[in-house]
Amino acid sequence: MLINSLAALALGFALDMLLGDPEVVVYPQYFIKKLVAKLDKSFRNSYKNTPEAQRMAGLMMTVIVLLIVAAVALLLLFVGYKLNAALGIFLEGIMCWSALSVKSLKTGAGNLSSAQRNVKKVTFRDTDDMNIDAVIKSTVESVAENTTDWAVAPIFWSAIFGGLGGILYRTVNIIDNTVGYKTDTYINFGKFPAKLDDVLSFIPARIAALLMKMNVSYLHLDSKNASQVYKKDRRKSPSPNSAQTQSVCAGALGIQLGSDEYYGGQLVRKPVIGRNLKPCEPNDIFWANQLLLGTSFYAMLFTAVIRTALFFVI
């Protein structure tokens, strides 16, 4: 079973690197996003507009979405492995693929021109008034943060609980990305999924920072500054996790990330991360993508070693 899950994770990672996130109905992540979007408005409007009621509405929506995804995933895995081991690995690999978004994150921030087109999709920020420097900084910041959410954390949970663990983690992350904002609309409704995402990402974020620091050395970027900024700024973020990889990336590139930005028309204040050793440059997007890819491959290698060791020990 351990080897089956490892094979499924390897298949899912390969599919993600080849195909990314296709916008088709049969792709599980597409179905999950549509389900969350449909239930979001329904649950918010079904409860009174008080902080307590809206928090309960957000909790109930999160639980129901997770139950639906878990029921479908478990049914597919049961039937697949019952019929044939190869079919079970294939279906579990599809789930691992759906939990990852490495290629889509890299493609959306591939270079300056693509970042300008896709920055709102990649970063979820208001982009109408952004200048070039702000686009670059916002793109680098999002790639660094989502190295945990869209790469290392799904690999981590898939390694422990197989495809089911990966897709359930990514479901929580999708819900958080949809409703987990501190705006008037979502500050209470999105509180539970935001906290749940913080809990599930806590350990993976720190693993991601460690692996990213290893990749900084491999790429011959500024390892010393990356370590110094990490020690100083790794807790400087609204969440307990996002600054872990952002601080490593900012230090490696010698730039500053963070500062105030607008989400849904409302100002969100963020502390500054890193040292302003140089202005943001288009080339910083390239290096942020290299850090994303390298950290993802390190996470897969780390997972393969651990799972193989467990196979021979257990």
Side-chain angles (χ1 to χ4, degrees), residues 119-174:
V119 67
K120 189 167 187 176
K121 180 180 178 181
V122 174
T123 66
F124 308 103
R125 298 166 172 87
D126 295 347
T127 59
D128 293 342
D129 298 325
M130 279 188 173
N131 58 29
I132 297 299
D133 288 345
V135 168
I136 295 171
K137 186 185 75 169
S138 186
T139 302
V140 171
E141 181 180 329
S142 185
V143 170
E145 177 180 356
N146 286 315
T147 297
T148 294
D149 297 339
W150 295 8
V152 176
I155 292 171
F156 175 83
W157 290 112
S158 295
I160 297 176
F161 296 111
L164 178 65
I167 201 167
L168 286 179
Y169 167 81
R170 191 56 195 277
T171 299
V172 172
N173 185 248
I174 289 171

Side-chain angles (χ1 to χ4, degrees), residues 100-111:
L100 293 159
S101 290
V102 178
K103 182 179 181 179
S104 293
L105 180 59
K106 177 183 178 296
T107 303
N111 52 47

Side-chain angles (χ1 to χ4, degrees), residues 55-92:
R55 284 195 290 269
M56 179 57 68
L59 186 153
M60 291 300 296
M61 186 202 74
T62 303
V63 170
I64 287 174
V65 171
L66 287 172
L67 286 174
I68 292 172
V69 173
V72 173
L74 285 170
L75 178 62
L76 289 173
L77 288 173
F78 176 78
V79 172
Y81 278 110
K82 196 76 173 176
L83 293 175
N84 184 275
L87 178 60
I89 291 171
F90 174 76
L91 292 174
E92 191 171 358

Side-chain angles (χ1 to χ4, degrees), residues 6 20 25 36 54 58 88 133 141 159 173 188 208 216 225 275 287-288 304:
L6 182 59
V25 177
V36 172
Q54 286 295 298
D133 288 345
E141 181 180 329
N173 185 248
N188 293 301
V216 168
N225 195 49
R275 298 168 176 168
W287 287 115

Side-chain angles (χ1 to χ4, degrees), residues 141 144 205-206 209 213 224-252 254-259 270-277:
E141 181 180 329
R206 283 138 186 87
K213 283 196 284 185
K224 182 178 180 181
N225 195 49
S227 296
Q228 290 174 345
V229 172
Y230 174 74
K231 291 178 182 178
K232 181 173 69 74
D233 294 344
R234 68 185 184 276
R235 297 187 181 92
K236 283 187 177 180
S237 66
S239 82
N241 303 317
S242 58
Q244 293 288 318
T245 44
Q246 286 178 357
S247 59
V248 176
C249 183
I255 61 175
Q256 282 188 336
L257 301 177
S259 76
K270 296 181 178 181
V272 173
I273 296 172
R275 298 168 176 168
N276 191 20
L277 301 182

Side-chain angles (χ1 to χ4, degrees), residues 250-309:
L253 301 180
I255 61 175
Q256 282 188 336
L257 301 177
S259 76
D260 301 343
E261 291 184 301
Y262 284 87
Y263 291 77
Q266 293 193 351
L267 179 65
V268 176
R269 299 193 178 280
K270 296 181 178 181
V272 173
I273 296 172
R275 298 168 176 168
N276 191 20
L277 301 182
K278 67 177 185 64
C280 291
E281 302 169 348
N283 203 39
D284 292 327
I285 297 176
F286 169 81
W287 287 115
N289 282 328
Q290 299 314 301
L291 289 172
L292 162 68
L293 290 175
T295 303
S296 302
F297 279 110
Y298 278 135
M300 285 296 298
L301 180 61
F302 176 76
T303 296
V305 171
I306 297 300
R307 290 306 296 258
T308 303

